[in-house]
Amino acid sequence: MWRRAPLSAKKEYGDAFYREFSDKVVEGASLFGSTRLNLVVDADFHALTARFPQLRYQPGLDSSLVAIPISYLPTGLRDAIITAGQMLARLPIPECLERKK
């Protein structure tokens, strides 16, 4: 995907951002992700084919404990929690934002 990105986007984000962010995504997936992909496939199948699909699906422990509860919070509080999580995870900052500091 990075190879096909426009040159302007690559310049704004920078190669270092891409490499560091990719590493963080892989690290996060290995810590919190599940190898049971069938849970998502089954939920998608049910949502598409059920006569009365559920309003929300929880295809795994991570969605039950994190994603679903956060989705019920007010937007401001949800954004604050997600921002705090990003800061704790020390996600990289794109070059265009680094230059503004």
Coordinates of all heavy atoms in Angstrom, one line a residue:
M1 N 0.8 -1.2 0.0 CA 0.0 0.0 0.0 C 0.9 1.3 0.0 O 0.6 2.2 -0.7 CB -0.9 0.0 1.2 CG -1.9 1.0 1.2 SD -3.3 0.8 2.3 CE -2.7 1.3 3.8
W2 N 1.9 1.2 0.8 CA 2.8 2.4 0.8 C 3.5 2.7 -0.5 O 3.7 3.8 -0.9 CB 3.9 2.2 1.9 CG 4.8 3.3 2.1 CD1 6.2 3.3 1.8 CD2 4.5 4.6 2.7 NE1 6.7 4.6 2.1 CE2 5.7 5.3 2.7 CE3 3.4 5.2 3.3 CZ2 5.8 6.6 3.2 CZ3 3.5 6.4 3.8 CH2 4.7 7.2 3.7
R3 N 3.8 1.6 -1.2 CA 4.4 1.8 -2.6 C 3.5 2.5 -3.5 O 3.9 3.2 -4.4 CB 4.8 0.4 -3.1 CG 6.1 -0.1 -2.5 CD 6.5 -1.4 -3.1 NE 6.0 -2.5 -2.2 CZ 5.5 -3.6 -2.5 NH1 5.5 -4.0 -3.8 NH2 5.1 -4.5 -1.6
R4 N 2.2 2.3 -3.4 CA 1.2 2.9 -4.3 C 0.7 4.2 -3.8 O 0.0 4.9 -4.5 CB 0.0 1.9 -4.5 CG 0.4 0.7 -5.2 CD -0.8 -0.2 -5.4 NE -1.4 -0.5 -4.1 CZ -2.2 -1.5 -3.9 NH1 -2.7 -2.2 -4.9 NH2 -2.6 -1.8 -2.7
A5 N 1.1 4.7 -2.6 CA 0.7 5.9 -2.1 C 1.2 7.1 -3.0 O 2.3 7.0 -3.5 CB 1.1 6.1 -0.7
P6 N 0.5 8.2 -3.1 CA 1.0 9.3 -3.8 C 2.3 9.9 -3.2 O 2.4 9.8 -2.0 CB -0.1 10.4 -3.7 CG -1.3 9.6 -3.3 CD -0.9 8.4 -2.6
L7 N 3.1 10.4 -4.0 CA 4.4 11.0 -3.5 C 4.1 12.1 -2.5 O 4.9 12.2 -1.5 CB 5.2 11.6 -4.7 CG 6.6 12.0 -4.4 CD1 7.4 10.8 -3.8 CD2 7.3 12.5 -5.6
S8 N 3.1 12.9 -2.6 CA 2.8 13.9 -1.7 C 2.5 13.3 -0.3 O 2.9 13.9 0.7 CB 1.6 14.8 -2.1 OG 0.5 14.0 -2.3
A9 N 1.8 12.2 -0.2 CA 1.5 11.6 1.1 C 2.7 11.0 1.7 O 2.9 11.1 2.9 CB 0.4 10.5 0.9
K10 N 3.6 10.4 0.9 CA 4.8 9.8 1.4 C 5.7 10.9 1.9 O 6.3 10.7 3.0 CB 5.6 9.1 0.3 CG 4.9 7.8 -0.2 CD 5.8 7.2 -1.3 CE 5.2 5.9 -1.7 NZ 6.0 5.2 -2.7
K11 N 5.7 12.1 1.3 CA 6.5 13.2 1.7 C 6.0 13.7 3.1 O 6.7 14.1 4.0 CB 6.5 14.3 0.7 CG 7.5 15.4 0.9 CD 7.6 16.3 -0.3 CE 8.6 17.3 -0.1 NZ 8.7 18.2 -1.3
E12 N 4.6 13.8 3.2 CA 4.1 14.4 4.4 C 4.3 13.4 5.6 O 4.5 13.9 6.7 CB 2.6 14.6 4.2 CG 2.3 15.9 3.4 CD 0.9 16.5 3.8 OE1 0.4 16.2 4.8 OE2 0.5 17.3 2.9
Y13 N 4.1 12.1 5.4 CA 4.2 11.2 6.5 C 5.7 10.8 6.7 O 6.1 10.6 7.9 CB 3.4 10.0 6.3 CG 1.9 10.2 6.5 CD1 1.1 10.7 5.5 CD2 1.4 10.0 7.8 CE1 -0.3 10.9 5.7 CE2 0.0 10.3 8.0 CZ -0.8 10.7 7.0 OH -2.1 11.0 7.3
G14 N 6.4 10.6 5.7 CA 7.8 10.2 5.8 C 8.0 8.7 5.9 O 7.1 8.0 6.5
D15 N 9.1 8.2 5.5 CA 9.4 6.8 5.5 C 9.6 6.2 6.9 O 9.2 5.1 7.3 CB 10.7 6.4 4.7 CG 10.4 6.5 3.2 OD1 9.3 6.3 2.8 OD2 11.4 6.9 2.5
A16 N 10.1 7.1 7.8 CA 10.3 6.7 9.2 C 9.0 6.4 9.9 O 8.8 5.4 10.6 CB 11.1 7.7 10.0
F17 N 8.0 7.3 9.6 CA 6.7 7.1 10.2 C 6.1 5.8 9.7 O 5.5 5.0 10.5 CB 5.8 8.3 9.8 CG 4.3 8.0 10.2 CD1 3.9 8.3 11.4 CD2 3.4 7.5 9.3 CE1 2.6 8.1 11.8 CE2 2.1 7.3 9.6 CZ 1.7 7.6 10.9
Y18 N 6.2 5.5 8.4 CA 5.6 4.3 7.9 C 6.2 3.1 8.5 O 5.5 2.1 9.0 CB 5.8 4.2 6.4 CG 5.5 2.9 5.8 CD1 4.2 2.5 5.7 CD2 6.5 2.1 5.3 CE1 3.9 1.2 5.1 CE2 6.2 0.8 4.8 CZ 4.9 0.4 4.7 OH 4.6 -0.8 4.2
R19 N 7.6 3.0 8.6 CA 8.2 1.9 9.2 C 7.9 1.7 10.7 O 7.5 0.6 11.1 CB 9.8 2.0 9.1 CG 10.3 1.7 7.7 CD 11.8 1.6 7.6 NE 12.5 2.8 8.2 CZ 12.7 3.9 7.6 NH1 12.4 4.0 6.3 NH2 13.4 4.9 8.2
E20 N 7.9 2.8 11.5 CA 7.6 2.7 12.9 C 6.1 2.3 13.1 O 5.8 1.5 14.0 CB 7.9 4.0 13.6 CG 9.4 4.3 13.7 CD 9.6 5.7 14.3 OE1 8.9 6.1 15.3 OE2 10.5 6.4 13.8
F21 N 5.2 2.9 12.3 CA 3.8 2.6 12.5 C 3.5 1.2 12.2 O 2.7 0.5 12.8 CB 3.0 3.6 11.7 CG 1.5 3.6 12.1 CD1 1.0 4.3 13.2 CD2 0.6 2.8 11.3 CE1 -0.3 4.2 13.5 CE2 -0.7 2.8 11.6 CZ -1.2 3.5 12.8
S22 N 4.1 0.7 11.1 CA 3.9 -0.7 10.7 C 4.4 -1.6 11.8 O 3.7 -2.6 12.1 CB 4.7 -1.0 9.4 OG 4.2 -0.2 8.3
D23 N 5.5 -1.3 12.4 CA 6.0 -2.2 13.5 C 5.1 -2.2 14.6 O 4.8 -3.2 15.3 CB 7.4 -1.7 13.9 CG 8.5 -1.9 12.8 OD1 8.3 -2.7 11.9 OD2 9.6 -1.3 13.0
K24 N 4.5 -1.0 15.0 CA 3.6 -0.9 16.1 C 2.3 -1.7 15.8 O 1.7 -2.3 16.7 CB 3.2 0.5 16.4 CG 4.4 1.3 17.0 CD 4.6 1.0 18.4 CE 5.6 1.9 19.0 NZ 5.8 1.6 20.5
V25 N 1.8 -1.7 14.6 CA 0.6 -2.4 14.2 C 0.8 -3.9 14.4 O 0.0 -4.6 14.9 CB 0.1 -2.0 12.8 CG1 -0.9 -3.0 12.3 CG2 -0.4 -0.6 12.7
V26 N 2.0 -4.4 13.9 CA 2.3 -5.8 14.0 C 2.4 -6.2 15.5 O 1.9 -7.2 15.9 CB 3.6 -6.1 13.2 CG1 4.1 -7.5 13.5 CG2 3.3 -6.0 11.7
E27 N 3.1 -5.3 16.2 CA 3.3 -5.6 17.7 C 1.9 -5.7 18.4 O 1.7 -6.6 19.2 CB 4.1 -4.5 18.3 CG 4.4 -4.6 19.8 CD 5.2 -3.4 20.3 OE1 6.1 -3.0 19.5 OE2 4.9 -3.0 21.4
G28 N 1.0 -4.7 18.1 CA -0.3 -4.7 18.7 C -1.1 -5.9 18.3 O -1.8 -6.4 19.2
A29 N -1.0 -6.3 17.1 CA -1.8 -7.4 16.6 C -1.3 -8.7 17.3 O -2.2 -9.6 17.6 CB -1.7 -7.5 15.1
S30 N 0.0 -8.8 17.5 CA 0.5 -10.0 18.1 C 0.1 -10.0 19.6 O -0.1 -11.1 20.2 CB 2.0 -10.1 18.0 OG 2.6 -9.1 18.6
L31 N 0.0 -8.9 20.3 CA -0.4 -8.8 21.7 C -1.9 -9.0 21.9 O -2.3 -9.7 22.8 CB 0.0 -7.5 22.3 CG 1.5 -7.3 22.5 CD1 1.7 -5.8 23.0 CD2 2.0 -8.2 23.6
F32 N -2.7 -8.3 21.1 CA -4.2 -8.3 21.3 C -5.0 -9.0 20.3 O -6.2 -9.2 20.5 CB -4.6 -6.8 21.4 CG -3.9 -6.0 22.5 CD1 -3.0 -5.1 22.1 CD2 -4.2 -6.2 23.8 CE1 -2.3 -4.3 23.1 CE2 -3.6 -5.5 24.8 CZ -2.6 -4.6 24.4
G33 N -4.4 -9.4 19.2 CA -5.2 -10.0 18.1 C -5.5 -11.5 18.4 O -4.9 -12.1 19.3
S34 N -6.4 -12.0 17.7 CA -6.8 -13.4 17.8 C -6.5 -14.1 16.5 O -6.6 -13.6 15.5 CB -8.3 -13.5 18.2 OG -8.7 -14.8 18.2
T35 N -6.2 -15.4 16.7 CA -6.0 -16.2 15.5 C -7.3 -16.8 15.0 O -7.3 -17.5 14.0 CB -5.0 -17.3 15.7 OG1 -5.4 -18.1 16.8 CG2 -3.6 -16.8 16.0
R36 N -8.4 -16.6 15.8 CA -9.7 -17.2 15.4 C -10.5 -16.3 14.5 O -11.4 -15.6 14.9 CB -10.4 -17.5 16.7 CG -9.7 -18.5 17.6 CD -10.4 -18.7 18.9 NE -11.8 -19.2 18.6 CZ -12.7 -19.2 19.5 NH1 -12.6 -18.7 20.7 NH2 -13.9 -19.7 19.2
L37 N -10.0 -16.2 13.2 CA -10.7 -15.4 12.3 C -12.1 -15.8 12.0 O -12.9 -15.0 11.5 CB -9.9 -15.4 11.0 CG -8.4 -14.8 11.1 CD1 -7.7 -14.9 9.8 CD2 -8.4 -13.4 11.6
N38 N -12.4 -17.1 12.2 CA -13.8 -17.5 12.0 C -14.8 -16.8 12.8 O -16.0 -16.7 12.4 CB -13.9 -19.0 12.3 CG -13.6 -19.3 13.8 OD1 -12.6 -19.0 14.3 ND2 -14.6 -20.0 14.4
L39 N -14.5 -16.2 13.9 CA -15.4 -15.4 14.7 C -15.9 -14.2 13.9 O -17.1 -13.9 13.9 CB -14.8 -14.9 16.0 CG -14.3 -16.0 17.0 CD1 -13.6 -15.4 18.2 CD2 -15.5 -16.8 17.5
V40 N -15.0 -13.5 13.2 CA -15.4 -12.4 12.4 C -16.2 -12.8 11.2 O -17.3 -12.2 10.9 CB -14.2 -11.5 12.0 CG1 -14.6 -10.4 11.1 CG2 -13.5 -11.0 13.2
V41 N -15.8 -13.9 10.6 CA -16.5 -14.4 9.4 C -17.9 -14.8 9.7 O -18.8 -14.5 9.0 CB -15.7 -15.5 8.7 CG1 -16.4 -16.2 7.6 CG2 -14.3 -15.0 8.2
D42 N -18.0 -15.5 10.8 CA -19.3 -16.0 11.3 C -20.3 -14.8 11.6 O -21.4 -14.8 11.2 CB -19.2 -16.9 12.5 CG -18.6 -18.2 12.2 OD1 -18.4 -18.6 11.0 OD2 -18.2 -18.9 13.1
A43 N -19.7 -13.8 12.2 CA -20.5 -12.6 12.6 C -20.9 -11.9 11.3 O -22.1 -11.4 11.2 CB -19.7 -11.7 13.5
D44 N -20.0 -11.7 10.3 CA -20.4 -11.1 9.1 C -21.4 -11.9 8.3 O -22.4 -11.3 7.8 CB -19.1 -10.9 8.2 CG -18.2 -9.8 8.6 OD1 -18.6 -9.0 9.5 OD2 -17.1 -9.7 8.1
F45 N -21.3 -13.2 8.3 CA -22.2 -14.0 7.6 C -23.6 -13.9 8.2 O -24.6 -13.7 7.6 CB -21.8 -15.5 7.6 CG -22.7 -16.4 6.9 CD1 -22.7 -16.5 5.6 CD2 -23.6 -17.2 7.6 CE1 -23.6 -17.4 4.9 CE2 -24.5 -18.0 7.0 CZ -24.5 -18.1 5.6
H46 N -23.7 -13.9 9.6 CA -25.0 -13.8 10.3 C -25.6 -12.4 10.0 O -26.8 -12.3 9.7 CB -24.8 -14.0 11.8 CG -26.1 -14.0 12.5 ND1 -26.6 -12.8 13.0 CD2 -26.9 -15.0 12.8 CE1 -27.8 -13.1 13.6 NE2 -28.0 -14.4 13.5
A47 N -24.8 -11.3 10.0 CA -25.3 -10.0 9.7 C -25.9 -9.9 8.3 O -26.9 -9.2 8.1 CB -24.2 -9.0 9.9
L48 N -25.3 -10.5 7.4 CA -25.7 -10.4 6.0 C -26.9 -11.4 5.7 O -27.7 -11.1 4.8 CB -24.6 -10.7 5.0 CG -23.4 -9.7 5.1 CD1 -22.3 -10.3 4.3 CD2 -23.9 -8.4 4.5
T49 N -27.0 -12.5 6.4 CA -28.0 -13.5 6.0 C -29.2 -13.6 7.0 O -30.2 -14.2 6.6 CB -27.4 -14.8 5.8 OG1 -26.8 -15.2 7.1 CG2 -26.3 -14.8 4.7
A50 N -29.1 -13.1 8.2 CA -30.1 -13.3 9.2 C -31.4 -12.4 8.9 O -31.2 -11.3 8.3 CB -29.6 -12.9 10.6
R51 N -32.5 -13.0 9.2 CA -33.7 -12.2 9.0 C -33.8 -11.0 9.9 O -34.3 -10.0 9.6 CB -34.9 -13.2 9.2 CG -36.2 -12.5 8.9 CD -37.3 -13.5 8.9 NE -38.6 -12.8 8.6 CZ -39.8 -13.4 8.6 NH1 -39.9 -14.6 8.9 NH2 -40.8 -12.7 8.3
F52 N -33.3 -11.2 11.1 CA -33.2 -10.2 12.1 C -31.8 -10.1 12.7 O -31.4 -10.6 13.7 CB -34.2 -10.5 13.3 CG -35.6 -10.6 12.9 CD1 -36.2 -11.8 12.8 CD2 -36.3 -9.5 12.5 CE1 -37.5 -11.9 12.4 CE2 -37.7 -9.6 12.1 CZ -38.3 -10.8 12.1
P53 N -30.9 -9.3 11.9 CA -29.5 -9.2 12.4 C -29.4 -8.4 13.7 O -30.3 -7.6 14.0 CB -28.8 -8.5 11.2 CG -29.9 -7.8 10.5 CD -31.2 -8.6 10.7
Q54 N -28.4 -8.7 14.4 CA -28.2 -8.0 15.7 C -27.7 -6.6 15.4 O -27.2 -6.3 14.3 CB -27.1 -8.7 16.5 CG -27.4 -10.1 16.9 CD -26.2 -10.8 17.5 OE1 -25.3 -10.2 17.9 NE2 -26.2 -12.1 17.5
L55 N -27.9 -5.7 16.4 CA -27.5 -4.3 16.2 C -26.0 -4.2 16.3 O -25.4 -3.4 15.5 CB -28.2 -3.5 17.3 CG -28.0 -2.0 17.2 CD1 -28.6 -1.5 15.9 CD2 -28.7 -1.3 18.4
R56 N -25.4 -5.0 17.2 CA -23.9 -5.0 17.3 C -23.5 -6.4 17.5 O -24.1 -7.2 18.1 CB -23.5 -4.2 18.6 CG -23.8 -2.7 18.5 CD -23.4 -2.1 19.8 NE -23.9 -0.7 19.9 CZ -23.1 0.4 19.7 NH1 -21.8 0.2 19.6 NH2 -23.6 1.6 19.8
Y57 N -22.3 -6.7 16.9 CA -21.7 -8.0 17.0 C -20.4 -7.9 17.9 O -19.7 -6.9 17.8 CB -21.4 -8.6 15.7 CG -22.7 -9.0 14.9 CD1 -23.4 -8.1 14.2 CD2 -23.1 -10.3 14.9 CE1 -24.5 -8.4 13.5 CE2 -24.3 -10.7 14.3 CZ -25.0 -9.7 13.6 OH -26.1 -10.1 12.9
Q58 N -20.1 -8.9 18.6 CA -18.9 -8.9 19.5 C -18.1 -10.2 19.1 O -18.2 -11.2 19.9 CB -19.3 -8.9 20.9 CG -20.1 -7.7 21.3 CD -20.6 -7.8 22.8 OE1 -20.3 -8.7 23.5 NE2 -21.4 -6.8 23.2
P59 N -17.4 -10.2 18.0 CA -16.7 -11.4 17.6 C -15.4 -11.6 18.2 O -14.4 -11.8 17.6 CB -16.6 -11.2 16.1 CG -16.5 -9.7 15.9 CD -17.3 -9.1 17.0
G60 N -15.3 -11.6 19.5 CA -14.1 -11.9 20.2 C -14.0 -11.2 21.5 O -14.7 -10.2 21.8
L61 N -13.1 -11.6 22.4 CA -12.9 -11.0 23.7 C -12.5 -9.5 23.6 O -12.9 -8.7 24.4 CB -11.9 -11.8 24.5 CG -11.8 -11.6 26.0 CD1 -13.2 -11.9 26.6 CD2 -10.8 -12.5 26.6
D62 N -11.6 -9.2 22.6 CA -11.2 -7.8 22.6 C -12.3 -6.9 22.3 O -12.4 -5.8 22.8 CB -10.0 -7.7 21.5 CG -10.4 -8.2 20.2 OD1 -11.4 -9.0 20.1 OD2 -9.8 -7.8 19.2
S63 N -13.2 -7.3 21.4 CA -14.4 -6.4 21.1 C -15.3 -6.3 22.3 O -15.9 -5.3 22.6 CB -15.1 -6.8 19.9 OG -15.8 -8.0 20.1
S64 N -15.5 -7.4 23.0 CA -16.4 -7.4 24.2 C -15.8 -6.6 25.3 O -16.6 -5.9 26.0 CB -16.6 -8.9 24.7 OG -17.1 -9.7 23.7
L65 N -14.5 -6.6 25.5 CA -14.0 -5.9 26.7 C -13.5 -4.5 26.4 O -13.4 -3.7 27.3 CB -12.8 -6.7 27.2 CG -13.1 -8.1 27.7 CD1 -11.8 -8.8 28.2 CD2 -14.1 -8.0 28.9
V66 N -13.3 -4.1 25.1 CA -12.7 -2.8 24.8 C -13.6 -2.1 23.8 O -14.1 -1.0 24.1 CB -11.3 -2.9 24.2 CG1 -10.7 -1.6 23.9 CG2 -10.4 -3.6 25.2
A67 N -13.7 -2.6 22.6 CA -14.4 -1.8 21.5 C -15.8 -1.5 21.8 O -16.3 -0.4 21.6 CB -14.2 -2.5 20.2
I68 N -16.6 -2.5 22.2 CA -18.0 -2.2 22.5 C -18.3 -1.3 23.6 O -19.0 -0.3 23.5 CB -18.8 -3.6 22.7 CG1 -18.7 -4.5 21.4 CG2 -20.2 -3.3 23.0 CD1 -19.3 -3.9 20.2
P69 N -17.6 -1.5 24.8 CA -17.9 -0.5 25.9 C -17.5 0.9 25.5 O -18.2 1.9 25.8 CB -17.0 -1.0 27.0 CG -16.9 -2.5 26.7 CD -16.8 -2.6 25.3
I70 N -16.4 1.1 24.8 CA -15.9 2.4 24.4 C -16.9 3.1 23.4 O -17.1 4.3 23.4 CB -14.5 2.4 23.8 CG1 -13.5 2.2 24.9 CG2 -14.2 3.6 23.0 CD1 -12.0 2.1 24.4
S71 N -17.6 2.3 22.6 CA -18.5 2.8 21.6 C -19.7 3.4 22.2 O -20.4 4.3 21.6 CB -18.9 1.7 20.6 OG -19.8 0.8 21.2
Y72 N -20.0 3.1 23.5 CA -21.2 3.7 24.2 C -20.8 5.0 24.9 O -21.7 5.7 25.4 CB -21.7 2.7 25.2 CG -22.4 1.5 24.6 CD1 -21.9 0.3 24.6 CD2 -23.7 1.7 24.1 CE1 -22.5 -0.8 24.1 CE2 -24.4 0.6 23.5 CZ -23.8 -0.6 23.5 OH -24.5 -1.7 23.0
L73 N -19.6 5.3 25.0 CA -19.2 6.6 25.6 C -19.4 7.8 24.8 O -19.5 7.7 23.6 CB -17.7 6.5 26.0 CG -17.2 5.4 26.9 CD1 -15.7 5.4 27.0 CD2 -17.8 5.6 28.3
P74 N -19.6 9.0 25.4 CA -19.7 10.2 24.7 C -18.4 10.4 23.8 O -17.3 10.0 24.2 CB -19.8 11.3 25.7 CG -20.2 10.6 27.0 CD -19.7 9.2 26.9
T75 N -18.6 11.1 22.7 CA -17.5 11.2 21.7 C -16.3 11.9 22.3 O -15.2 11.4 22.1 CB -18.0 12.1 20.5 OG1 -19.2 11.5 20.0 CG2 -16.9 12.2 19.4
G76 N -16.4 12.9 23.1 CA -15.3 13.6 23.7 C -14.5 12.7 24.6 O -13.2 12.7 24.5
L77 N -15.2 11.9 25.4 CA -14.5 11.0 26.3 C -13.8 9.9 25.6 O -12.7 9.5 25.9 CB -15.5 10.4 27.4 CG -14.9 9.5 28.4 CD1 -13.8 10.2 29.2 CD2 -16.1 9.1 29.3
R78 N -14.5 9.4 24.5 CA -14.0 8.3 23.7 C -12.7 8.8 23.0 O -11.7 8.1 23.0 CB -15.0 7.9 22.7 CG -14.6 6.8 21.8 CD -15.6 6.4 20.8 NE -16.9 7.1 21.0 CZ -17.9 7.2 20.1 NH1 -17.8 6.5 19.0 NH2 -19.0 7.8 20.3
D79 N -12.7 10.0 22.5 CA -11.5 10.6 21.8 C -10.4 10.7 22.8 O -9.2 10.4 22.5 CB -11.8 11.9 21.2 CG -12.7 11.8 19.9 OD1 -12.9 10.6 19.5 OD2 -13.3 12.8 19.5
A80 N -10.7 11.2 24.0 CA -9.6 11.3 25.0 C -9.0 10.0 25.4 O -7.8 9.9 25.5 CB -10.2 12.0 26.3
I81 N -9.8 9.0 25.5 CA -9.3 7.6 25.9 C -8.4 7.1 24.7 O -7.3 6.6 25.0 CB -10.4 6.7 26.2 CG1 -11.1 7.0 27.5 CG2 -10.0 5.2 26.2 CD1 -12.4 6.3 27.8
I82 N -8.9 7.2 23.5 CA -8.1 6.8 22.4 C -6.8 7.5 22.2 O -5.7 7.0 22.0 CB -9.0 6.8 21.1 CG1 -10.1 5.8 21.2 CG2 -8.1 6.6 19.8 CD1 -11.1 5.9 20.1
T83 N -6.9 8.9 22.4 CA -5.6 9.7 22.3 C -4.7 9.3 23.4 O -3.4 9.2 23.2 CB -6.0 11.2 22.5 OG1 -6.9 11.5 21.4 CG2 -4.8 12.0 22.4
A84 N -5.2 9.1 24.7 CA -4.3 8.6 25.7 C -3.6 7.3 25.4 O -2.4 7.1 25.7 CB -5.1 8.5 27.1
G85 N -4.4 6.4 24.8 CA -3.9 5.1 24.4 C -2.8 5.2 23.4 O -1.8 4.5 23.4
Q86 N -3.0 6.1 22.5 CA -2.0 6.3 21.4 C -0.7 6.9 22.0 O 0.4 6.6 21.6 CB -2.5 7.3 20.3 CG -3.6 6.6 19.5 CD -4.3 7.6 18.6 OE1 -4.3 8.8 18.8 NE2 -4.8 7.1 17.5
M87 N -0.9 7.8 23.0 CA 0.3 8.4 23.6 C 1.1 7.4 24.5 O 2.3 7.3 24.4 CB -0.1 9.6 24.5 CG -0.6 10.8 23.7 SD -1.3 12.1 24.7 CE 0.1 12.7 25.5
L88 N 0.3 6.5 25.2 CA 1.0 5.4 25.9 C 1.7 4.4 25.0 O 2.7 3.9 25.4 CB -0.1 4.7 26.8 CG -0.6 5.5 28.0 CD1 -1.8 4.8 28.7 CD2 0.5 5.8 29.0
A89 N 1.1 4.2 23.9 CA 1.7 3.2 22.9 C 2.9 3.9 22.2 O 3.6 3.2 21.5 CB 0.7 2.8 21.9
R90 N 3.1 5.2 22.4 CA 4.2 5.9 21.7 C 4.1 5.7 20.2 O 5.2 5.4 19.6 CB 5.5 5.5 22.3 CG 5.6 5.9 23.8 CD 6.9 5.4 24.4 NE 6.9 5.4 25.8 CZ 7.7 6.2 26.5 NH1 8.5 7.0 25.9 NH2 7.6 6.2 27.8
L91 N 3.0 6.0 19.7 CA 2.9 5.9 18.2 C 3.7 7.0 17.6 O 3.8 8.1 18.1 CB 1.4 6.0 17.8 CG 0.5 4.8 18.2 CD1 -0.9 5.1 17.7 CD2 1.0 3.5 17.6
P92 N 4.3 6.7 16.4 CA 5.1 7.7 15.7 C 4.2 8.9 15.2 O 3.0 8.8 15.0 CB 5.7 7.0 14.6 CG 4.8 5.8 14.3 CD 4.2 5.5 15.7
I93 N 4.8 10.0 15.0 CA 4.1 11.2 14.6 C 4.6 11.5 13.1 O 5.8 11.4 12.8 CB 4.5 12.4 15.5 CG1 4.0 12.2 16.9 CG2 3.9 13.7 14.9 CD1 4.4 13.2 17.9
P94 N 3.7 11.8 12.2 CA 4.1 12.1 10.8 C 5.0 13.3 10.7 O 5.0 14.2 11.6 CB 2.7 12.4 10.1 CG 1.7 11.8 11.0 CD 2.2 11.8 12.4
E95 N 5.8 13.3 9.7 CA 6.8 14.3 9.6 C 6.2 15.7 9.5 O 6.7 16.7 10.0 CB 7.6 14.1 8.3 CG 8.8 13.2 8.5 CD 9.7 13.1 7.2 OE1 9.6 14.0 6.4 OE2 10.4 12.0 7.1
C96 N 5.0 15.8 8.8 CA 4.4 17.1 8.6 C 4.0 17.7 10.0 O 4.0 18.9 10.1 CB 3.2 17.0 7.7 SG 1.9 15.9 8.3
L97 N 3.7 16.9 11.0 CA 3.4 17.4 12.3 C 4.6 17.7 13.1 O 4.6 18.6 14.0 CB 2.4 16.4 13.0 CG 1.1 16.2 12.4 CD1 0.3 15.2 13.2 CD2 0.3 17.5 12.3
E98 N 5.6 16.9 12.9 CA 6.9 17.1 13.6 C 7.5 18.5 13.2 O 8.1 19.2 14.0 CB 7.9 16.0 13.2 CG 7.7 14.7 13.9 CD 8.1 14.7 15.4 OE1 8.9 15.6 15.8 OE2 7.5 13.9 16.1
R99 N 7.3 18.9 11.9 CA 7.9 20.2 11.4 C 7.2 21.3 12.1 O 7.8 22.4 12.2 CB 7.8 20.3 9.9 CG 8.7 19.3 9.2 CD 8.7 19.6 7.7 NE 7.3 19.4 7.1 CZ 7.1 18.4 6.3 NH1 8.0 17.5 6.0 NH2 5.8 18.3 5.8
K100 N 6.0 21.2 12.5 CA 5.2 22.3 13.1 C 5.6 22.6 14.5 O 5.3 23.6 15.1 CB 3.7 22.0 13.0 CG 3.2 22.0 11.6 CD 1.7 21.8 11.6 CE 1.2 21.8 10.2 NZ -0.3 21.6 10.2
K101 N 6.3 21.7 15.2 CA 6.7 21.9 16.6 C 7.7 22.9 16.7 O 8.5 23.3 16.0 CB 7.2 20.6 17.2 CG 6.1 19.6 17.4 CD 6.6 18.4 18.1 CE 5.6 17.4 18.5 NZ 6.0 16.2 19.2

